[in-house]
Amino acid sequence: MTRGAALRAVRRRESYAGRRESYAGSMYARRRRNYFLMMGGCVVLFVSAWAVVRLWSMPVAIAMCVVAMVIPPIAAMVANRRGPEDRWWDDPSGDPTSDEWWDELDGKKRH
């Protein structure tokens, strides 16, 4: 292998690694943001129900707690669902021929 071919191979691997990290970072950032927003709403509902709302209406405070009780499982499902742009199951492998082949099978590249 010539020096130029070796440098091209290293650059190609670096570009795949950078793409994979940026993609994974944005995917996990979106998931974390959604999860923490929903769980923050859960905490706000629970705390406000027993700190403020119970003074005016006990049934409304209990209803707020029931809604807060349902949020954590929904937050877990929403945070872990696969988005239409997520490709976590077939991240680029680093082999350009294999990646092109899988992209063609997935219909990602149209000729």
Side-chain angles (χ1 to χ4, degrees):
M1 179 182 277
T2 66
R3 180 180 163 97
L7 286 173
R8 282 192 299 274
V10 168
R11 287 186 192 130
R12 188 172 33 240
R13 267 186 261 128
E14 288 173 355
S15 71
Y16 278 116
R19 231 183 299 155
R20 185 178 306 140
E21 289 171 2
S22 66
Y23 166 74
S26 67
M27 177 180 63
Y28 292 125
R30 176 187 51 83
R31 290 180 178 186
R32 277 192 305 265
R33 184 180 59 244
N34 289 340
Y35 180 79
F36 285 120
L37 283 174
M38 292 183 79
M39 292 305 289
C42 176
V43 170
V44 166
L45 276 173
F46 185 75
V47 170
S48 64
W50 292 112
V52 178
V53 177
R54 72 172 173 88
L55 300 173
W56 286 282
S57 175
M58 187 61 83
V60 173
I62 292 171
M64 289 172 68
C65 284
V66 168
V67 170
M69 177 183 71
V70 173
I71 291 176
I74 294 172
M77 287 184 275
V78 167
N80 289 316
R81 77 170 186 256
R82 181 182 65 85
E85 73 281 355
D86 291 345
R87 294 187 65 204
W88 53 269
W89 67 94
D90 64 348
D91 280 338
S93 64
D95 178 20
T97 307
S98 174
D99 293 339
E100 288 175 22
W101 185 74
W102 282 108
D103 285 343
E104 183 179 335
L105 282 177
D106 289 342
K108 305 270 184 208
K109 288 187 178 179
R110 307 257 184 226
H111 293 284

